[in-house]
Amino acid sequence: MATSHTETHHPNWLQHHFSSPFQQGESSKLGMWLFLLTEVLFFGGLFCAYAVFNAWYPETFINAHKSLSWPLGATNTIVLIASSVTMALAIRSMQLGSKKGTLILLWSTMALAAVFLVIKYFEYSHKFHLGQLPGEYYTYEGIAGTNPHIFFSVYFMMTGLHGIHVIAGMIVIGWMIYRTSQDHFSSDYYTPIEMTGLYWHLVDLVWIFLFPMFYLIG
Amino acid sequence: MSNAAATAAVPSYLQEPKGIKSWLLTVDHKRIGIMYLAAIMFFFFVGGALAVILRTELFRPEQILMDADTYNQFFTLHGAIMIFLFIIPSIPAALGNFILPLMLGAKDVAFPRLNLASWYVYVFGAIFCVASIVLGAVDTGWTFYTPYSTTTSTSVISMTLGVFILGFSSIFTGLNFIVTIHKLRMPGMTWFKMPLMVWGLYATAIIQVLATPVLAITLVLLIMERVLGVGIFDPAMGGDPVLYQHFFWFYSHPAVYIMILPGMGIISEVIACFSHRKIFGYKPIAYSSLGIAFVSFMVWGHHMFTSGQSEIAAMIFSFLTFFVGIPSGIKVFNWVTTMYKGSISLETPMVYAVMFLFLFMIGGFTGIMLGALALDVHLHDTYFVVAHFHYVMMGGTVMAFLAGIHYWWPKMFGRLYSERWAKVTALVIFVGFNMTFFSQFILGAQGMPRRYYSYLDQYQPLHGFSSVGAWVLGIGFVIMAVYLTASFFNGRKAGPNPWGALTYEWETLTPPPQHNFLKDVVLTHGPYDYDKVTVVGDFYDKSPTDKQHMAGKV
Amino acid sequence: MSSNGQSHHHILPLSVYINVGLALLVLTVLTVVVAQMELGVFNTILAMVIAITKASLVALFFMHLKYDNKLYLIVFLAAIAFLGLFIILSMADTETRGDIYEFRGRPINEDAVIYNRPGVAGIDTLAGEVADTVTAATDTSAANQSESDTAGGQ
C-alpha cells in the first residue's frame, strides 16, 4: 500500500518495517481477519459433519436434541451475547482513553466467559452421568432412531472445540487485562485489545449457530 | 542500480549480526528463508533416498532389500515427507520468504515474529513426523484413509499430529504473505506492477489459509476416532469413510496448487528474464493464478471416483475438473508466446524453466485424462496416476524450485555456481526423470497397481527401466548438492544483478543487507519493462557471450 | 493520513452497542419461542434465518465490518462462501448415493456395532468381530450380517 512515510511521530510500539502506525494497524487487522477465516473453516469441517449426519438421520437428531436442555442453552447464549457487548464496550472505552473503564469491562467479559463454562460444565456432567457420551462410549438407551451416538459425537466435538476457544479467549483477555493495567495501551494504540475483541466476537458467532443447531432444531 | 563499491562497506544479512543465537532468534525474513531452505533440503534428500530405496526394491518382483511391511512404511514415509515436509513449504516458505519482501521493496514481511514462529512450528511438527518412524512407522499411505488408519497398530497419531502442526506453519506463512502483499508494497507498486511471482505466492497463500484449517480439523477427527472412537468416519460405528475422503481432499486437492502455483510464479520470472522480453499477457497470467486457486476448491471429488462416492457427484466433479485446464493452459500459452521471438539465453534457470514447460505439459494433459470419469475408473490407483502426479509435482514444482534456486542463488549467497556442472546436472535429471516416470505411464496403462510390493513378471522390464532412471535421478541430485556446496564456499563472487532482471530484488546489494535496501525504494519501472529498460547482467560481464548483446538492442 | 495512528477509527456511540445487544437478546428469545411451535421444515429455516441475522448484527456492529475497510468484509464472506462450497459439494455426494444404483444407496450401517454387544469394548474388538463375520461367516446375527453387507457395498 502506497502510504507516505511519516517521520514526525515514531512511537515505540511502531515496528521498524512499517512506515506508519496506520499501516501497522491495518496490517494487524487484516492478519486477524485472515486468522478468523481459518477459524471459520476449522469449525467448518464439523459443520459439514453435522449437515451430512443430520440429513442422513433426521429422526435421530430430532429425538436426541430433546435430551439437551434449551433453557441452559438459551442462558448460555445470552451470557455470551452479554460478554460480546462488554468486550465491544471495552474497546470503545480504550478508544476514549479510559483505562479504568476498559479494565472493568474486560473483567466483566472474563466473568461472563467463566459463567458460560460453568453452565457448560453442568450440562456435560449431566450427559456423562446418563451415558450420553460420544462414539463407542455411548451407553444411553432412551433415544429412538438410528445411531444416536453420532449426534453426541458431533455435539461434544463441536461444543468441546468451542469450549476450548472460550478458554483460549479467557487467557487472551487475561493477558489484555495485564497489559492494560501496565499502561501499554492508550487512545492512540489499542490494536491488541481490538484483535482480542474480534476473536471473542467470532467465538460468540460460532455459538450463535451451535445453539439453534443442537438445542432447538436438532 | 546499487553501487558495487558499497558492497564491501555494508555487511550482508549473512554476516551481521553474528552468532548462532542471532540466527535462531532472527526475525529477518531472509534468514528464516535460508533456515527453511536448509530444513526442506534435508527432508528432500531423506525423501529422495527413500524413493531410490523403494525403486531399488521394485527392480525385481521378489524381495531385494526389505519385506512387504517395511515397503509399506517406506512408501508412506516417502509420500508424507515429500508432501508435508518438502514440497508444500518448498517454494513459498523457503524461496518465497526470502524473495517476497525484496520484490515488494519492503523491509520485512508483515509479521516477522509470526514468520519465525512458523519455522519453529515446522520443526516441531517435523519432529512428530520423524518420531512416528521410531514409534512404529505408519503404513497407511500419506492419505491416512479410514478405516485402515483408525485400526492399524502403527503410530498414526504421531504422524497425523505432526501433519496437524505442520499445517499451522503453512497457515502462518500464508497469512503473513497475504498481509505483506496487501500492505507492504513499495510506493508506486500497484497490483498490476507486482512481479508475477508475487501473484503466484498470493494465490498460494489464499489456498493455504482457506484449505489448511480443514485438514487440521480432519486430522483432529481422525485422532479422535482413534482415541475416543467417535465413529464419524468408521463404517462399523455408523460413520462414513468416504466422508473422511471428502474432508481430506478438500484440503489436499487445493494443496496440489499450493505446490504448483508458486512454481508457476518462478517460471514467469525466469522466462521473461532469460527471453529478455516483456512478459506476454501479464494480466491473464496474474488472473489465472487466482482462477486456479478458485477452481481448485471445487474439484476434489476426482480423487474419489472409485471410492463409493455417488455417481452424480462423480459426474459433477469430473465436469468441474476440466476447468482447471483453462487457467493452466492460459499460463503455458503466455509463457511460450513470451519466448517466441525473444532473445533466449539458456542459462541454468532457463534450462529448468524449459524442462518445466515440457514436463508440466505431460503432467497436465495426463491430469485431464484422469479427470475424465470413465477413463479414471480404469486407471485409478495404477502407476499411471503415480506417473501423472510425479510429472506435475516433480516435473512441475521441483523443476520450478530448481529454476528458482539457480535463479536466486547468487542473490542469496552472493556467489555464482558452476554453470557447466549445473547444465550437465540438469540434463542428467531430465533424462533420469523421464526414464523413471514415463515408463510408469505405460506400466499403469497396462494395469500395474500402485503401492504394490511385488508384481507379475511381465512388468519387470519397465519396472527395471524405471528403477535405473531413479538411480540416474539420484546421481543428478548428488552432483547438484556437490556443486552448490562448492559454490557456497568458493564460488565466483556475484554482482547485484547477474541476470539483468528488472524486478526489485536485484536492485539491492548481493547478498542483501539486514534491512533489505539501503534506503527506501520507490517503483520506477515495471517488473517486465525489458522493452524500455536495459540492464546487462553482471554474470555476462565476466563471461561474455553473444547473448548479452541482445539485452542492449533497444 | 494523520500521525496520530488510529484517529481514523470510528468511535461509535454507546447507544449502538446497547441497541444491538438488545436486538440480539430479543432475537434469542424469538428463536426459542419459534422452536417450541411445530412448523415442520420451517422450524429449521426460521432458526437459521434468525441465527444469520444475529450473526450479521455481531459482525457488522461489534466487529465493525460496517465501518471498516471493505476488504475485511470480503475476507469474512469468502470464509463463509468456501465453507458453503465445502458443505454443498460434500452433500452432493452424500445425498445422492442411491439415485442411480439403488444398492449403493445405503451410506452406512443401519446400526452401529456398539448397539449389538454386551458392554463396551475397544475398536480392536470391533475390528475383530467384523473380520470374524466376513471370514468365517458362522455368526448369523442380523446385525453383523448387515455389517458385512455394507462393507461389500461400499
Side-chain angles (χ1 to χ4, degrees):
Chain A
M1 189 125 308
T3 46
S4 64
H5 205 73
T6 42
E7 302 290 340
T8 46
H9 184 60
H10 212 275
N12 59 358
W13 41 261
L14 180 61
Q15 290 176 284
H16 80 91
H17 58 289
F18 290 112
S19 58
S20 70
F22 177 75
Q23 191 187 27
Q24 173 170 311
E26 290 285 287
S27 298
S28 307
K29 231 185 220 182
L30 179 58
M32 192 64 203
W33 273 106
L34 288 166
F35 171 70
L36 297 187
L37 170 143
T38 68
E39 287 281 16
V40 168
L41 283 144
F42 189 58
F43 276 99
L46 291 171
F47 278 103
C48 183
Y50 173 91
V52 166
F53 285 103
N54 193 352
W56 271 340
Y57 308 130
E59 319 87 52
T60 311
F61 271 59
I62 287 174
N63 293 334
H65 99 268
K66 289 176 183 151
S67 66
L68 299 179
S69 152
W70 69 259
L72 285 180
T75 314
N76 255 349
T77 309
I78 292 165
V79 167
L80 266 196
I81 287 172
S83 79
S84 255
V85 175
T86 54
M87 188 72 228
L89 290 178
I91 298 164
R92 182 175 180 276
S93 208
M94 192 41 95
Q95 286 176 325
L96 296 169
S98 161
K99 176 183 162 189
K100 192 170 163 226
T102 308
L103 280 174
I104 291 170
L105 286 158
L106 283 176
W107 274 115
S108 321
T109 314
M110 182 88 118
L112 288 163
V115 170
F116 177 89
L117 286 179
V118 168
I119 294 177
K120 207 76 224 151
Y121 167 78
F122 283 117
E123 282 190 82
Y124 271 20
S125 55
H126 182 60
K127 296 272 166 303
F128 287 1
H129 183 68
L130 289 178
Q132 293 169 336
L133 286 157
E136 61 177 275
Y137 297 101
Y138 182 82
T139 52
Y140 189 67
E141 289 182 345
I143 294 171
T146 317
N147 294 332
H149 68 285
I150 294 272
F151 176 87
F152 288 98
S153 291
V154 178
Y155 166 78
F156 275 107
M157 278 188 297
M158 290 194 90
T159 55
L161 188 64
H162 179 260
I164 290 170
H165 279 79
V166 172
I167 294 169
M170 288 173 75
I171 294 170
V172 180
I173 292 169
W175 182 40
M176 287 304 122
I177 290 174
Y178 169 77
R179 288 191 68 182
T180 311
S181 66
Q182 297 294 305
D183 288 317
H184 288 190
F185 306 125
S186 65
S187 59
D188 276 343
Y189 176 66
Y190 51 87
T191 312
I193 306 187
E194 210 182 0
M195 300 304 114
T196 311
L198 286 177
Y199 171 81
W200 190 251
H201 296 312
L202 186 88
V203 172
D204 188 20
L205 277 186
V206 172
W207 183 257
I208 283 176
F209 284 96
L210 292 188
F211 170 57
M213 277 165 52
F214 286 108
Y215 291 82
L216 298 182
I217 53 178
Chain B
M1 290 294 303
S2 302
N3 189 344
T7 316
V10 181
S12 78
Y13 78 102
L14 291 167
Q15 295 161 331
E16 207 56 60
K18 288 193 196 319
I20 187 84
K21 203 176 147 200
S22 78
W23 276 85
L24 291 178
L25 296 178
T26 184
V27 288
D28 182 349
H29 69 97
K30 298 182 289 303
R31 287 189 166 193
I32 295 168
I34 299 296
M35 279 150 69
Y36 256 120
L37 189 64
I40 62 158
M41 288 320 282
F42 171 75
F43 283 110
F44 181 63
F45 276 92
V46 172
L50 287 169
V52 171
I53 294 169
L54 285 169
R55 274 316 321 168
T56 308
E57 171 59 44
L58 288 168
F59 188 78
R60 279 186 280 115
E62 60 269 24
Q63 175 167 346
I64 296 175
L65 294 173
M66 58 182 101
D67 59 20
D69 283 336
T70 318
Y71 172 84
N72 288 348
Q73 294 165 351
F74 267 50
F75 79 67
T76 303
L77 264 179
H78 166 70
I81 286 180
M82 281 303 199
I83 299 274
F84 295 114
L85 289 168
F86 168 65
I87 203 165
I88 287 188
S90 64
I91 300 179
L95 291 179
N97 236 326
F98 186 92
I99 221 68
L100 175 73
L102 289 168
M103 281 186 152
L104 295 176
K107 294 197 189 87
D108 208 321
V109 291
F111 307 115
R113 279 174 297 183
L114 187 71
N115 202 14
L116 181 65
S118 126
W119 188 77
Y120 278 103
V121 169
Y122 170 86
V123 172
F124 191 59
I127 290 169
F128 272 90
C129 288
V130 173
S132 74
I133 302 174
V134 187
L135 299 172
V138 181
D139 59 355
T140 59
W142 74 280
T143 50
F144 314 121
Y145 273 6
T146 56
Y148 183 62
S149 61
T150 54
T151 47
T152 172
S153 61
T154 55
S155 64
V156 174
I157 292 184
S158 173
M159 180 61 103
T160 46
L161 205 58
V163 173
F164 174 77
I165 295 167
L166 288 170
F168 284 98
S169 157
S170 182
I171 289 174
F172 289 170
T173 305
L175 192 153
N176 224 333
F177 282 9
I178 294 182
V179 178
T180 307
I181 293 167
H182 268 276
K183 303 291 181 189
L184 289 180
R185 302 195 304 277
M186 69 178 104
M189 183 176 272
T190 55
W191 280 90
F192 292 110
K193 292 219 167 99
M194 296 196 311
L196 287 164
M197 172 73 180
V198 176
W199 277 102
L201 287 171
Y202 185 64
T204 308
I206 290 175
I207 302 178
Q208 282 177 309
V209 295
L210 276 171
T212 317
V214 177
L215 176 73
I217 195 68
T218 309
L219 297 175
V220 168
L221 285 173
L222 182 57
I223 292 168
M224 288 308 228
E225 195 85 36
R226 276 186 78 95
V227 176
L228 293 176
V230 290
I232 290 192
F233 298 141
D234 186 351
M237 292 287 290
D240 182 20
V242 180
L243 191 64
Y244 171 83
Q245 299 185 17
H246 280 296
F247 275 53
F248 183 81
W249 289 111
F250 182 81
Y251 166 76
S252 294
H253 190 76
V256 174
Y257 301 93
I258 294 180
M259 303 169 198
I260 196 73
L261 276 168
M264 290 169 158
I266 292 177
I267 298 305
S268 305
E269 298 301 321
V270 169
I271 284 187
C273 172
F274 290 94
S275 304
H276 301 98
R277 189 151 178 262
K278 192 179 180 81
I279 191 107
F280 186 87
Y282 174 94
K283 279 193 183 180
I285 296 181
Y287 281 129
S288 63
S289 290
L290 296 182
I292 289 176
F294 179 66
V295 177
S296 75
F297 281 93
M298 299 189 289
V299 300
W300 78 81
H302 65 223
H303 295 269
M304 302 161 54
F305 285 160
T306 61
S307 72
Q309 175 180 239
S310 86
E311 289 78 9
I312 291 175
M315 284 183 240
I316 295 171
F317 280 122
S318 179
F319 175 74
L320 290 171
T321 297
F322 291 109
F323 284 96
V324 179
I326 297 171
S328 310
I330 289 174
K331 278 180 188 287
V332 172
F333 288 135
N334 280 305
W335 290 326
V336 174
T337 318
T338 305
M339 288 167 71
Y340 179 67
K341 288 192 175 172
S343 48
I344 297 169
S345 52
L346 274 178
E347 313 319 332
T348 312
M350 189 61 174
V351 172
Y352 279 109
V354 174
M355 277 161 62
F356 171 95
L357 286 181
F358 183 79
L359 300 175
F360 176 71
M361 292 265 284
I362 297 176
F365 281 128
T366 51
I368 292 294
M369 290 165 74
L370 288 170
L373 183 49
L375 192 53
D376 183 74
V377 172
H378 177 72
L379 292 173
H380 189 83
D381 267 355
T382 66
Y383 265 70
F384 194 90
V385 177
V386 177
H388 154 69
F389 70 71
H390 278 93
Y391 263 84
V392 178
M393 289 186 193
M394 187 157 182
T397 310
V398 175
M399 293 310 146
F401 176 72
L402 295 178
I405 282 278
H406 287 88
Y407 184 57
W408 285 303
W409 181 270
K411 183 53 71 179
M412 288 176 154
F413 300 110
R415 290 176 187 276
L416 296 165
Y417 43 83
S418 160
E419 191 65 28
R420 183 186 302 154
W421 276 108
K423 277 180 187 156
V424 170
T425 309
L427 184 71
V428 173
I429 287 176
F430 185 76
V431 171
F433 178 85
N434 283 299
M435 282 175 71
T436 313
F437 294 110
F438 201 83
S439 46
Q440 296 186 1
F441 278 126
I442 305 168
L443 275 174
Q446 290 175 349
M448 172 72 212
R450 69 192 282 200
R451 291 180 172 169
Y452 275 28
Y453 171 66
S454 184
Y455 47 82
L456 300 176
D457 283 337
Q458 71 198 61
Y459 297 123
Q460 201 282 327
L462 281 167
H463 264 300
F465 187 74
S466 177
S467 296
V468 173
W471 298 334
V472 174
L473 202 49
I475 290 167
F477 280 105
V478 170
I479 304 174
M480 181 181 294
V482 171
Y483 75 73
L484 285 181
T485 312
S487 152
F488 180 78
F489 287 109
N490 51 15
R492 213 178 84 205
K493 286 259 192 266
N497 192 352
W499 318 117
L502 293 181
T503 42
Y504 276 78
E505 74 269 27
W506 305 106
E507 303 268 315
T508 184
L509 308 177
T510 284
Q514 196 186 3
H515 293 311
N516 291 354
F517 298 93
L518 293 177
K519 52 180 191 278
D520 288 349
V521 269
V522 178
L523 188 113
T524 51
H525 57 76
Y528 306 109
D529 286 348
Y530 291 101
D531 50 343
K532 299 186 193 122
V533 185
T534 303
V535 179
V536 179
D538 32 54
F539 171 80
Y540 306 102
D541 284 346
K542 305 245 171 65
S543 60
T545 66
D546 50 7
K547 305 278 170 31
Q548 88 178 88
H549 303 301
M550 302 296 191
K553 73 180 175 183
V554 179
Chain C
M1 183 185 50
S2 148
S3 65
N4 179 355
Q6 300 185 330
S7 62
H8 62 285
H9 268 226
H10 211 89
I11 302 183
L12 294 177
L14 190 63
S15 58
V16 172
Y17 294 109
I18 303 293
N19 289 340
V20 172
L22 287 175
L24 291 171
L25 199 64
V26 170
L27 286 168
T28 306
V29 174
L30 184 68
T31 189
V32 170
V33 171
V34 170
Q36 307 308 313
M37 304 183 231
E38 289 294 333
L39 301 172
V41 70
F42 287 102
N43 274 120
T44 309
I45 294 172
L46 273 175
M48 281 299 124
V49 167
I50 295 174
I52 289 167
T53 314
K54 286 164 76 179
S56 312
L57 285 175
V58 171
L60 288 175
F61 294 98
F62 289 174
M63 298 168 101
H64 291 180
L65 281 181
K66 186 165 187 281
Y67 311 99
D68 263 342
N69 192 333
K70 288 292 170 277
L71 180 62
Y72 311 142
L73 184 63
I74 292 171
V75 170
F76 189 54
L77 292 179
I80 291 161
F82 279 89
L83 174 56
L85 203 63
F86 176 36
I87 294 176
I88 289 168
L89 281 174
S90 296
M91 290 185 83
D93 162 32
T94 61
E95 286 304 293
T96 59
R97 291 227 180 126
D99 288 7
I100 291 181
Y101 300 113
E102 222 172 291
F103 73 94
R104 299 176 71 163
R106 274 180 309 130
I108 35 197
N109 290 0
E110 293 308 316
D111 272 307
V113 267
I114 54 166
Y115 300 107
N116 296 294
R117 65 211 154 91
V120 176
I123 285 281
D124 295 334
T125 332
L126 299 184
E129 281 176 21
V130 176
D132 290 349
T133 325
V134 174
T135 50
T138 47
D139 189 343
T140 50
S141 87
N144 280 346
Q145 197 57 47
S146 86
E147 175 62 37
S148 56
D149 283 354
T150 313
Q154 288 284 329

